[in-house]
Amino acid sequence: MVVFNRRMSNADRHGLIAKVVRDAGGATVQELAELTGASEMTIRRDLDTLAAQGVLERVRGGARTLLLRGEEPPFALRAHEAVEAKRRIAAEICALVTDGESVLLDSGTTCLEVARLLRERPVTLMPLSLQAIHLVAETPGPATLVVPGGQPRASEGALAGPLTLASLAALRFDTAVIGCCGLTAADGLTAYDLDDAAVKKAGIASARRVVAAADGSKLGHTAYAWVGPAALVQTLVTDTDAAAEEVTALEAGGTVVRTV
Amino acid sequence: MVVFNRRMSNADRHGLIAKVVRDAGGATVQELAELTGASEMTIRRDLDTLAAQGVLERVRGGARTLLLRGEEPPFALRAHEAVEAKRRIAAEICALVTDGESVLLDSGTTCLEVARLLRERPVTLMPLSLQAIHLVAETPGPATLVVPGGQPRASEGALAGPLTLASLAALRFDTAVIGCCGLTAADGLTAYDLDDAAVKKAGIASARRVVAAADGSKLGHTAYAWVGPAALVQTLVTDTDAAAEEVTALEAGGTVVRTV
DNA sequence: CGTAACGAACATTTTTCATGTTTGAAAGTC
DNA sequence: GACTTTCAAACATGAAAAATGTTCGTTACG
């Protein structure tokens, strides 16, 4: 493994620690200090920070990964990954949205990037995560913000529950931007969480057009809560990591696939 | 007027500028520079910042106050005022709340302080402003957060509209903490905004107990949107600035008044 | 046309933040 | 119970960021 001469930035080091702990399942403070070139004290502080963010679990002498089971990786952890691909996907989705539309925006890291772009556009925006709501609310822009009710779930603040479903039932959107936890031609659209699946289902039912965002790792993957058949998705935006055979299968089902 | 030897902090200077402009109705860049001991360029930057926050209006050569009419003072402006009294009122309201209760929290600066305290308590919390929602969401604590739907109004992010009313209609709270724009024994509870008044009305209707927060300046004042009679308020928490005769009149109407 | 005000660009100062070191306490190990 | 490792608080240091001041060309207003 490379030893870094230059001092690495705070965020880089956090990302590296997160990656090492995730890949190896755990790491000691010493190992991480040697790897990053930082002092053990700094590593301890980093681990405390990352543990507070829910990226990993602190144990005496080091840290352990949290995702030993088939759960959804914590939001804070995913936020480090594949930022570039997410940005490209988000930009492409924005290009699909026309000014003046009403847009429903699912939770998830990719959709957060979409929110970052869409808040500069004259559209009506209903984001399904607190993070996106905060992002849009804190920067006064041309976008009109509508907040759905609900109870925030987990660290990313995805809204769900009866209030969310009621809010969706009361509205109709031109476009629903749905983040995928899993999407295959055979198993359709799936989510990691039953409540989240119910919200996606309701969101899709309230929208004239459904645009799904899925980076390559999500395509061909099936999570456990079923949302609906792949045919619900009119347009899928994915990246070049997407498996070609899965893309072909989805296109055969009538979905327009845009690879960026 | 005192000339400050020491360089004053950014926030202090902003507060002083806001106060001077508000009290005098306006001020020139020169005056403010002399008053604060800062350069004119800094004052210009301050004025731009404050204007962007909606605290004052920028004019060539200086700034003017925004509140020449009977409107609600901008949130950003009110945020500077009477912080101590608001904190005391908020603390008293928290003392009135029992662990495990479900609490509806109105918008406004005082209620924001209540949110800051209640997020450390095991209660179910539904705040009616984005600022309070963000405050509770960003600090994981024992409190359970429930987000109402709605459209954020103005700079403080007070939620209102049909979605908000629907969310309130679907729930029942042990306690509603209502911020007052105006409260008198004769005219009852009033708000600055019709939509906001409708939300307050719905919130009160959904709560078993209504606790109103009103600093002394709100008591005896009547805003223009009527919410309901003063008798709707079971408990009023106010500060020592409250006019004695108004307090007496409210108590005669059955409201318990706590002065802190 | 002239003056005052403005704002962009740069220089300087101040503040904040991240990091490292030390040290004593706490937790685990034998 | 003695020893070692880990931890975290306290302080020092250095770097990054922010705030502020200065200069100067441009713009608005009389």
Side-chain angles (χ1 to χ4, degrees), chain B residues 90-177:
Chain B
E92 178 64 20
I93 287 175
C94 278
L96 294 173
V97 172
T98 310
D99 284 357
E101 278 193 0
S102 56
V103 180
L104 176 69
L105 203 55
D106 201 5
S107 53
T109 48
T110 308
C111 291
L112 191 59
E113 290 300 322
V114 177
R116 202 185 304 278
L117 297 173
L118 275 187
R119 66 179 169 173
E120 307 294 344
R121 297 268 301 277
V123 295
T124 300
L125 210 53
M126 180 185 262
L128 287 168
S129 90
L130 286 184
Q131 296 214 4
I133 288 170
H134 181 232
L135 189 69
V136 177
E138 77 177 349
T139 317
T144 303
L145 176 62
V146 183
V147 179
Q151 293 175 266
R153 308 185 62 75
S155 56
E156 78 188 274
L159 292 169
L163 285 180
T164 312
L165 299 180
S167 297
L168 291 174
L171 299 165
R172 288 298 178 270
F173 300 92
D174 293 310
T175 302
V177 178

Side-chain angles (χ1 to χ4, degrees), chain A residues 13 38-39 41-42 45 60:
Chain A
R13 198 180 55 245
S39 72
M41 193 64 233
T42 298
R45 282 188 276 239
R60 189 175 180 84

Side-chain angles (χ1 to χ4, degrees), chain A residues 13 38 123 126 130 146 157 159 178 180 185:
Chain A
R13 198 180 55 245
V123 295
M126 182 186 259
L130 286 184
V146 183
L159 292 168
I178 302 292
C180 297

Side-chain angles (χ1 to χ4, degrees), chain B residues 25-47:
Chain B
T28 68
V29 170
Q30 280 183 9
E31 287 167 5
L32 293 170
E34 191 177 347
L35 176 68
T36 60
S39 72
E40 297 192 2
M41 191 65 231
T42 299
I43 296 297
R44 286 198 190 91
R45 281 188 276 238
D46 287 345
L47 293 183

Side-chain angles (χ1 to χ4, degrees), chain B residues 53-246:
Chain B
Q53 290 176 0
V55 176
L56 45 75
E57 182 186 10
R58 191 70 218 282
V59 293
R60 191 176 178 80
R64 273 206 329 233
T65 180
L66 277 170
L67 40 88
L68 295 174
R69 296 158 295 281
E71 294 170 0
E72 181 180 25
F75 182 78
L77 198 160
R78 285 179 291 144
H80 289 297
E81 302 167 6
V83 178
E84 266 315 303
K86 289 179 200 303
R87 292 246 167 86
R88 285 203 308 276
I89 291 174
E92 178 64 20
I93 287 175
C94 278
L96 294 173
V97 172
T98 310
D99 284 357
E101 278 193 0
S102 56
V103 180
L104 176 69
L105 203 55
D106 201 5
S107 53
T109 48
T110 308
C111 291
L112 191 59
E113 290 300 322
V114 177
R116 202 185 304 278
L117 297 173
L118 275 187
R119 66 179 169 173
E120 307 294 344
R121 297 268 301 277
V123 295
T124 300
L125 210 53
M126 180 185 262
L128 287 168
S129 90
L130 286 184
Q131 296 214 4
I133 288 170
H134 181 232
L135 189 69
V136 177
E138 77 177 349
T139 317
T144 303
L145 176 62
V146 183
V147 179
Q151 293 175 266
R153 308 185 62 75
S155 56
E156 78 188 274
L159 292 169
L163 285 180
T164 312
L165 299 180
S167 297
L168 291 174
L171 299 165
R172 288 298 178 270
F173 300 92
D174 293 310
T175 302
V177 178
I178 302 292
C180 297
C181 306
L183 178 63
T184 72
D187 291 329
L189 191 60
T190 45
Y192 285 106
D193 179 279
L194 268 179
D195 294 319
D196 192 40
V199 169
K200 287 186 203 299
K201 201 182 289 187
I204 290 172
S206 292
R208 189 166 54 79
R209 177 177 63 154
V210 176
V211 176
D215 59 69
S217 68
K218 309 292 176 53
L219 226 62
H221 181 250
T222 299
Y224 94 100
W226 191 70
V227 176
L232 288 178
V233 178
Q234 265 101 60
T235 308
L236 166 70
V237 180
T238 186
D239 60 40
T240 47
D241 288 351
E245 64 271 20
E246 196 58 50

